[in-house]
């Protein structure tokens, strides 16, 4: 391995370590979570997702300039990630929420770039062990955070959220999880922590197994049991039934790969593994940590029903990557939360990005599973191959019940492992494919331009996040200064409707109703299917001009776009009743500021 290759592997290892620790916020709500302030928060809390994008795209320039990069095996799996990314482009053109789609596709691009970097450079046991080592250390720290939350840290987290977040702007589901006793570690949601543990479990066990070869047998097995027990216990504390089911399938896949050796030790591992799973599930179920709940099942059923209905109405190109949360309330039938994600990566890919993107995405992971099992069969007894097979199997199963694809902390490690699996395939010939001469510098310059554009765009997004956080902090003491910061956030991220709404709320507090109306209209232009935006516009319109035709129109839109929200229906009924009881001619008043 040359020096440049070692540098690339080191970067991938660092990202494998940082991703689950620092990038646990879903991309579709990243503007709602305040960025860290001060060294303490930068050390212990999540970072803006834009940093992962900037880091990855900056490294792209150097990857192109590597003079000794070796050829990768170009097969079906190698081309599918690129096809998956390209399939998002038509959906972006039809997006109903440009900011959400931009953030989501940028995240997908990072996942795809990491896949290709791993496919090119992860070629042997040493490089694979480095990636596994980064995940092992990260998993250890994530579990420590989860245990701290379970044994008292959750209350401190709630106090932090009360001080530094605006409850009115956070999703209902996120608020519910913040007030529950389910741990979430470094992630925003407990289910995402469960999904990450499913992905990381097998690589952690494989890394410990490889490192413990020279240890005494008793010490080695005790270490493995302790590590497996800690991760399994952390998984139980998340209370995620889908996570536990995916974990069981993942372990079963790994044990099946190992059982092909038919050795006594392997059969012992199989028996112990199955026994541990049964005991853990029984204890968790008895203790109330895991149980079959009808409310969660009802919620997911409604999400999936809504996703199918959206996909039918927008069959070819979807509503835009990452836009499920914008339009789902229109299709919602149950009195559950207004989910931002469909809790099924495959269904969301269909309703967000259309039928072609769904087919490519499904083909990507079906081919990945086929190749993972084939690799484990070819490399009999190879702990890395078995771990990759188990990990990717668990990822696909959990993708059927949750949204790990849209959380960088869970998605980036999965795509890194997918690329590592591709890199470990046997190559018939190995030859340099790096560009030479002028073409090398041309591609380097092109990638530098791309990295510069990404740095500029993502840097503005980060600056907007900091401005919005200052606006929230000032809002309690200095509404005028808060509004100025909110307008700065709007200028830096002109397509993010949440910043428009934040400015509108502050202007309404200051009774600057005309300005508030303008900000809410801008929010509706950026995200037209959000019922709450129409409702807010109607409220401020009534505060400024009474029950006008414009206010009634917006209330009807709100009630139409979210038929299960009783407050919208009641406000519409009250407004219509006030019109019937008012003097004739009220509705002839001119709408404000067309």
């Amino acid at each position: 391995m040359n020096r440049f290759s070692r540098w690339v592997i080191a970067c991938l290892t660092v990202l494998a370590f940082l991703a689950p620790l620092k990038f646990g916020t879903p991309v579709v709500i990243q503007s709602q979570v305040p960025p860290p302030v001060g060294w303490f928060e930068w050390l212990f809390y999540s970072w803006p997702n834009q940093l992962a994008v900037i880091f990855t795209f900056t490294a792209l320039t150097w990857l192109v300039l590597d003079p000794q990069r070796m050829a990768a095996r170009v097969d079906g799996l190698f081309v599918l990630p690129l096809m998956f990314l390209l399939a998002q482009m038509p959906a972006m053109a039809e997006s109903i929420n440009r900011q959400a789609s931009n953030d989501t596709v940028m995240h997908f691009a990072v996942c795809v770039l990491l896949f290709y970097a791993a496919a090119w450079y992860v070629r042997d046991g040493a490089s694979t062990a480095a990636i596994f080592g980064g995940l092992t250390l990260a998993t250890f720290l994530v579990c420590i955070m989860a245990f701290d939350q379970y044994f008292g840290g959750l209350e401190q987290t709630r106090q932090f959220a009360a001080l530094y977040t605006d409850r009115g702007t956070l999703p209902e589901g996120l608020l519910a999880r913040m007030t529950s006793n389910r741990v979430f570690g470094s992630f925003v949601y407990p289910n995402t922590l469960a999904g990450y543990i499913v992905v990381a479990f097998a690589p952690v066990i494989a890394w410990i197994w490889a490192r413990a070869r020279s240890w005494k047998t008793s010490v080695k097995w005790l270490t493995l049991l302790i590590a497996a027990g800690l991760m399994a216990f952390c998984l139980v504390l998340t209370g995620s039934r889908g996570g536990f089911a995916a974990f069981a399938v993942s372990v079963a896949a790994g044990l099946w790969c190992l059982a092909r050796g038919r050795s006594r030790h392997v059969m012992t591992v199989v028996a112990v593994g199955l026994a541990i799973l049964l005991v853990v599930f029984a204890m968790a179920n008895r203790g109330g940590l895991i149980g079959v709940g009808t409310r969660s099942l009802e919620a997911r059923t409604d999400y999936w029903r809504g996703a199918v209905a959206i996909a039918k109405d927008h069959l070819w190109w979807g509503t835009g990557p990452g836009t499920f949360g914008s339009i789902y309330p229109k299709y919602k039938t149950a009195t559950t939360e207004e989910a931002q994600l469909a809790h099924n990566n495959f269904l969301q890919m269909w309703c967000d990005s259309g039928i072609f993107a769904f087919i490519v995405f499904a083909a990507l992971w079906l081919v990945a599973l086929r190749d993972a099992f084939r690799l484990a069969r070819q490399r009999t007894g190879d702990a890395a191959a078995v771990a990759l097979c188990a990990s990717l199997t668990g990822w696909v199963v959990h993708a059927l019940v949750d949204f790990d694809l849209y959380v960088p902390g869970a998605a980036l490690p999965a795509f890194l492992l997918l690329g590592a699996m591709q890199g470990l395939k046997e190559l018939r010939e190995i030859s340099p494919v790096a560009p030479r001469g002028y073409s090398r510098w041309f591609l380097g310059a092109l990638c530098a331009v791309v990295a510069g554009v990404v740095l500029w765009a993502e840097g503005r997004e980060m600056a907007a996040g900091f401005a919005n956080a200052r606006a929230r902090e000032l809002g309690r003491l200095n509404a005028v200064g808060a509004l100025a910061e909110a307008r700065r956030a709007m200028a830096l991220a002109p397509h993010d409707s949440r910043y428009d709404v934040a400015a509108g709320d502050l202007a309404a507090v200051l009774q600057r109703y005309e300005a508030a109306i303008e900000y809410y209209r801008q929010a509706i232009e950026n995200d037209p299917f959000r019922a709450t935006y129409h409702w807010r516009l109607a409220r401020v319109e009534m505060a400024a001009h009474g029950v006008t035709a414009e206010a009634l129109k917006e209330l009807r839109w709100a009630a139409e776009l979210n038929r299960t929200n009783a407050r919208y229906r009641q406000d519409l009924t009250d407004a219509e009743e006030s019109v019937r009881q008012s003097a004739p001619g009220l509705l002839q008043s001119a709408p404000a500021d067309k």
Side-chain angles (χ1 to χ4, degrees):
M1 184 184 296
N2 60 53
R3 184 173 60 181
F4 193 93
S5 297
R6 287 195 294 270
W7 180 86
V8 174
I9 294 299
C11 288
L12 295 179
T13 302
V14 169
L15 197 53
F17 169 73
L18 289 177
L21 288 172
K22 295 301 180 183
F23 303 114
T25 303
V27 292
V28 296
I29 65 167
Q30 61 188 23
S31 63
Q32 294 176 267
V33 178
V37 178
W39 69 268
F40 181 84
E41 292 184 14
W42 277 97
L43 183 61
F44 290 102
Y45 294 103
S46 296
W47 292 351
N49 289 336
Q50 292 87 353
L51 285 177
V53 178
I54 291 172
F55 178 84
T56 304
F57 272 85
T58 302
L60 173 65
T61 304
W62 299 103
L63 292 176
V64 172
L65 295 177
D66 180 10
Q68 299 182 21
R69 188 177 66 243
M70 309 308 287
R73 179 171 181 173
V74 179
D75 55 8
L77 181 59
F78 187 80
V79 300
L80 280 171
L82 180 60
M83 293 177 60
F84 158 67
L85 187 59
L86 293 176
Q88 308 300 320
M89 299 303 109
M92 283 194 69
E94 301 293 328
S95 177
I96 62 174
N97 185 338
R98 180 176 172 182
Q99 186 64 53
S101 293
N102 288 346
D103 292 341
T104 302
V105 172
M106 195 65 70
H107 164 62
F108 289 166
V110 170
C111 292
V112 170
L113 287 174
L114 290 180
F115 165 82
Y116 284 114
W120 262 308
Y121 289 98
V122 179
R123 292 302 180 83
D124 52 30
S127 54
T128 307
I131 303 296
F132 284 8
L135 284 177
T136 299
L137 182 56
T139 304
F140 176 71
L141 295 176
V142 168
C143 288
I144 288 178
M145 295 175 66
F147 294 148
D148 176 69
Q149 291 167 358
Y150 182 71
F151 293 106
L154 278 173
E155 184 59 34
Q156 297 178 3
T157 303
R158 295 187 189 106
Q159 294 174 3
F160 175 84
L163 288 173
Y164 295 103
T165 60
D166 183 359
R167 295 177 62 89
T169 63
L170 294 178
E172 294 179 9
L174 177 56
L175 290 174
R177 287 162 177 78
M178 292 292 290
T179 57
S180 75
N181 290 321
R182 298 172 59 192
V183 302
F184 47 85
S186 57
F187 296 88
V188 173
Y189 292 93
N191 292 339
T192 311
L193 172 58
Y196 170 73
I197 292 174
V198 169
V199 170
F201 181 85
V204 170
I205 296 300
W207 186 83
I208 295 175
W209 175 271
R211 292 295 176 183
R213 286 177 179 173
S214 59
W215 299 0
K216 293 179 61 176
T217 302
S218 58
V219 175
K220 178 176 67 175
W221 282 103
L222 180 61
T223 303
L224 287 170
L225 287 175
I226 291 175
L230 288 176
M231 288 186 285
F233 182 57
C234 185
L235 175 64
V236 169
L237 294 181
T238 66
S240 173
R241 293 173 291 276
F244 199 89
F247 176 72
V249 174
S250 173
V251 172
L255 294 177
W256 184 85
C257 293
L258 286 174
R260 295 180 64 86
R262 300 179 182 177
S263 68
R264 182 184 305 174
H265 292 300
V266 167
M267 298 310 296
T268 302
V269 170
V270 171
V272 171
L274 292 176
I276 289 175
L277 284 177
L278 290 174
V279 171
V280 169
F281 183 81
M283 293 178 61
N285 186 56
R286 187 173 181 178
L289 293 173
I290 291 180
V292 179
T294 57
R295 182 172 178 81
S296 177
L297 181 60
E298 177 191 9
R300 273 175 168 72
T301 301
D302 196 67
Y303 305 155
W304 299 339
R305 186 188 301 115
V308 171
I310 296 169
K312 288 181 178 178
D313 289 348
H314 304 270
L315 178 64
W316 300 108
W317 311 121
T319 58
T323 59
F324 174 82
S326 293
I327 198 171
Y328 163 66
K330 180 182 178 182
Y331 295 84
K332 189 169 173 291
T333 59
T335 57
T336 53
E337 63 174 288
E338 296 181 18
Q340 301 302 302
L341 294 157
H343 291 71
N344 184 309
N345 291 340
F346 296 94
L347 275 180
Q348 178 147 0
M349 190 59 60
W350 186 11
C351 68
D352 279 4
S353 302
I355 187 67
F356 297 111
F358 165 74
I359 292 174
V360 173
F361 183 70
L364 167 63
W365 290 103
L366 287 174
V367 173
L369 289 184
R370 182 202 67 184
D371 290 358
F373 278 97
R374 183 178 296 171
L375 180 68
R377 183 171 63 250
Q378 293 171 348
R379 302 169 71 110
T380 304
D382 186 345
V386 172
L388 289 170
C389 181
S391 178
L392 295 176
T393 301
W395 161 266
V396 172
V397 173
H398 199 250
L400 296 172
V401 295
D402 244 298
F403 48 79
D404 301 341
L405 176 65
Y406 298 86
V407 184
L412 299 188
F415 274 84
L416 269 175
L417 295 177
L418 180 63
M421 190 268 291
Q422 176 71 14
L424 290 177
K425 291 179 182 178
E426 296 295 334
L427 293 174
R428 295 180 181 177
E429 296 181 1
I430 299 179
S431 58
V433 295
R436 303 291 181 180
Y438 289 110
S439 61
R440 175 186 174 189
W441 292 109
F442 172 77
L443 287 175
L446 179 61
C447 289
V449 171
V450 171
V453 171
V454 170
L455 178 63
W456 179 81
E458 296 299 299
R460 287 177 62 90
E461 286 291 328
M462 283 183 58
F466 282 104
N468 186 57
R470 287 193 295 271
R472 291 179 181 179
E473 184 177 357
L474 289 172
R476 300 178 177 86
L477 302 173
N478 182 2
V480 175
L483 181 57
E485 290 293 338
R487 293 182 63 179
R488 183 167 177 265
M490 287 177 59
L492 290 167
H495 301 293
D496 197 319
S497 61
R498 293 186 175 97
Y499 297 150
D500 302 327
V501 168
D505 291 345
L506 287 167
V509 169
L510 292 170
Q511 298 186 357
R512 299 180 182 180
Y513 296 126
E514 301 305 324
I517 289 172
E518 178 185 349
Y519 298 146
Y520 289 140
R521 286 177 177 168
Q522 180 65 32
I524 291 171
E525 182 178 345
N526 286 327
D527 194 357
F529 289 91
R530 291 276 184 185
T532 182
Y533 296 171
H534 294 275
W535 176 75
R536 290 171 190 245
L537 176 56
R539 299 274 294 184
V540 76
E541 173 71 19
M542 289 188 292
H545 307 113
V547 184
T548 64
E550 180 74 11
L552 286 173
K553 182 185 74 173
E554 296 300 331
L555 284 174
R556 292 188 184 106
W557 265 112
E560 176 66 21
L561 292 174
N562 191 340
R563 299 175 184 178
T564 63
N565 191 306
R567 184 172 187 180
Y568 298 162
R569 296 196 307 272
Q570 186 61 50
D571 284 355
L572 175 61
T573 300
D574 293 344
E576 290 175 337
E577 182 65 23
S578 71
V579 169
R580 283 192 291 271
Q581 296 178 2
S582 64
L586 177 61
L587 294 183
Q588 278 68 42
S589 57
D593 295 342
K594 279 287 187 178

